[in-house]
Amino acid sequence: MRFTPKGYGGRRRNPDEVKRDGWHEQRVLAVALDDHRLTWPERELVRQLGEKLYGPAATGREVQR
């Protein structure tokens, strides 16, 4: 028999569910530059916004195109 403390049961949400809930509940947008659902202009816009708000990405972590 396995004991799970109260509040630790249930299922784990996948990352897309967390992102979607964050957008709907808190108006926070989390976008990956390599998301296949985005077109090139959309990825470029996200990259430019990220650099404007947070500075350039670290050299070793850039997305390969």
Side-chain angles (χ1 to χ4, degrees):
M1 185 166 140
R2 184 173 163 190
F3 173 74
T4 304
K6 186 175 183 177
Y8 288 93
R11 71 174 189 88
R12 178 175 228 133
R13 297 184 297 171
N14 69 38
D16 278 332
E17 288 177 303
V18 174
K19 292 176 190 179
R20 183 175 40 251
D21 291 346
W23 173 248
H24 288 291
E25 295 170 8
Q26 299 178 10
R27 308 304 271 182
V28 173
L29 183 61
V31 181
L33 283 178
D34 60 351
D35 191 322
H36 68 279
R37 298 170 291 186
L38 300 177
T39 63
W40 180 83
E42 293 167 337
R43 285 192 304 270
E44 187 63 18
L45 174 63
V46 169
R47 184 190 63 76
Q48 290 177 10
L49 284 170
E51 287 183 358
K52 180 177 182 177
L53 295 173
Y54 305 112
T59 306
R61 295 186 55 168
E62 291 183 359
V63 175
Q64 301 296 322
R65 294 182 197 163

